[in-house]
């Protein structure tokens, strides 16, 4: 059982009868202690429940008042104070210690005057790391049928329209600038979504353009390997090419320089030429590195069964439209 100690301070003595009545109406099944001081009353009791309904009953008895946990700057009369406390050693019905035991204080104070919060009509939207700006333009309006005054939205969300010379959205007359701003925020979503789709499409075009030449270089290199065309293999390579063969992420063979690589191609140990590599559809670009998956049928297997396909990977490093590094993972 989790016990909650509840302490109520009544700072206006004439309020004590009302608070006492609300306590009686709750029919608490435990002793209630009342202490009288010169200017206040103190009420204390311990319950196996937090008794939140008492807050509601008290609040309903004081129109124009509200409970707050944080007193604003400046002095405010605290008419009633309610404190709830649970010991850090409190346990539940199974003997387990509870997490985050209750320890809070509420103050009954006059409801704060509602002041409209100012806002900026400028809305920043992030398209990844690119900043875009939109504006909610609000103008005065009037219902000519009823002479009711209010505010309207301009059908222009892309510029700060201080002249009000855009078309007016004829959806409704808003009662306050805050209401118009809130609805305007929802309305810009269609404009933003359309712009974002254009942004993504343009980005795809840019990526395709950036990747176009590296893809061609790698495809030509693989095709030359498949054809065992040494001259076309070498023409894509930098003079300082580094070729590394790995198995289970460990380097098992490495050569550096185009002459050494040429010797490798002519040796019986070479594993690049004549395999009829097929480049898999998923290319991983992290320029200057491009990782591709390749598949092929080993010469000794039945090529009619896809289960005999062998899958390998190459990471190719490019610089100045030349291949400067190849990591071949078998």
């Amino acid at each position: 059982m989790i016990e909650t100690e509840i302490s109520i301070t009544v700072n206006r003595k004439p309020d004590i009868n009302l608070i006492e009545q609300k306590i009686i109406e709750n029919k608490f099944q435990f002793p209630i202690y009342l202490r009288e001081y010169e200017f206040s009353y103190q009420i204390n009791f311990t319950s196996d429940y937090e008794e939140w309904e008492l807050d509601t009953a008290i609040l309903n008895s004081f129109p124009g008042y509200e409970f707050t946990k944080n007193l604003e700057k400046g002095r405010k009369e605290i008419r009633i104070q309610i404190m709830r406390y649970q010991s850090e050693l409190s346990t539940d019905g199974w003997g387990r210690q509870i997490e985050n035991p209750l320890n809070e204080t509420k103050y009954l104070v006059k409801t704060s005057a509602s002041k409209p919060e100012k806002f900026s009509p400028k809305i920043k939207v992030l398209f990844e790391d690119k900043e875009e700006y939109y504006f909610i333009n609000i103008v005065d309006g009037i219902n000519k049928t009823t002479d009711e005054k209010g505010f309207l939205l301009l059908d222009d969300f892309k510029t700060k329209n201080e002249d009000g010379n855009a078309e007016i959205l004829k959806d409704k007359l808003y009662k306050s600038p805050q209401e118009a701003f809130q609805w305007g925020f929802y309305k810009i979503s269609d404009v933003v979504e359309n712009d974002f789709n254009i942004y993504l499409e343009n980005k795809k075009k840019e990526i395709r353009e950036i990747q176009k030449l590296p893809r061609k270089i790698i495809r030509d290199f693989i095709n030359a390997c498949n054809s065992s065309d040494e001259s076309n293999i070498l023409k894509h390579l930098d003079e300082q090419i580094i070729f590394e063969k790995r198995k289970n992420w460990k380097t098992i063979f490495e050569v550096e320089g185009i002459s050494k690589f040429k010797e490798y191609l002519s040796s019986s140990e070479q594993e690049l030429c004549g395999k009829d590599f097929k480049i898999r559809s998923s290319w991983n670009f992290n320029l200057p590195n491009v990782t591709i998956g390749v598949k092929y049928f080993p010469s000794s297997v039945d090529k009619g069964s896809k289960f005999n396909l062998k899958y390998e990977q190459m990471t190719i490093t490019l610089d100045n439209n030349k291949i400067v590094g190849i990591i071949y993972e078998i």
Side-chain angles (χ1 to χ4, degrees), residues 53-208:
E53 291 82 1
L54 182 59
D55 293 19
T56 303
I58 292 173
L59 191 61
N60 290 339
S61 302
F62 294 93
Y65 280 76
E66 63 182 351
F67 274 118
T68 181
K69 293 181 182 179
N70 300 307
L71 294 173
E72 299 174 1
K73 291 182 179 179
R75 300 191 63 179
K76 255 190 176 182
E77 181 200 10
I78 300 171
R79 193 158 182 176
I80 293 171
Q81 174 181 308
I82 301 179
M83 186 192 79
R84 288 178 172 83
Y85 172 76
Q86 293 170 344
S87 170
E88 294 181 358
L89 302 177
S90 297
T91 58
D92 60 17
W94 300 94
R96 295 172 298 194
Q97 191 165 332
I98 64 169
E99 296 181 4
N100 303 317
L102 188 62
N103 185 3
E104 71 165 29
T105 302
K106 287 182 178 180
Y107 308 95
L108 186 71
V109 296
K110 279 192 174 181
T111 304
S112 301
S114 180
K115 296 180 180 179
E117 188 174 8
K118 294 181 180 180
F119 56 84
S120 169
K122 186 178 181 180
I123 308 295
K124 180 165 77 172
V125 182
L126 294 178
F127 291 0
E128 296 183 311
D129 62 345
K130 184 182 179 184
E131 295 179 0
E132 295 288 346
Y133 290 92
Y134 296 84
F135 297 86
I136 299 174
N137 296 294
I138 302 170
V139 295
D140 295 335
I142 187 169
N143 186 329
K144 294 182 179 179
T145 303
T146 63
D147 288 333
E148 178 188 2
K149 293 182 179 180
F151 301 89
L152 298 166
L153 290 169
L154 295 183
D155 192 11
D156 178 9
F157 297 104
K158 293 196 173 185
T159 62
K160 188 176 181 181
N161 196 320
E162 295 178 338
D163 299 329
N165 53 8
E167 289 289 326
I168 292 174
L169 286 175
K170 299 177 181 178
D171 53 346
K172 64 178 294 187
L173 184 71
Y174 299 99
K175 294 181 180 180
S176 68
Q178 287 73 20
E179 183 186 14
F181 179 74
Q182 192 62 37
W183 281 97
F185 176 73
Y186 293 128
K187 290 179 183 295
I188 67 171
S189 60
D190 289 339
V191 180
V192 172
E193 286 293 330
N194 183 64
D195 289 352
F196 188 62
N197 289 333
I198 294 172
Y199 164 80
L200 291 178
E201 191 57 42
N202 289 337
K203 183 181 177 182
K204 288 178 183 177
K205 291 178 182 177
E206 291 173 5
I207 291 173
R208 284 195 294 266

Side-chain angles (χ1 to χ4, degrees), residues 9-16 35-42 77-79:
T9 302
V10 181
N11 289 318
R12 287 191 189 180
K13 281 199 165 184
D15 291 340
I16 188 60
R35 287 172 288 161
E36 182 177 2
Y37 293 89
E38 183 177 2
F39 301 111
S40 64
Y41 279 93
Q42 187 76 33
E77 181 200 10
I78 300 171
R79 193 158 182 176

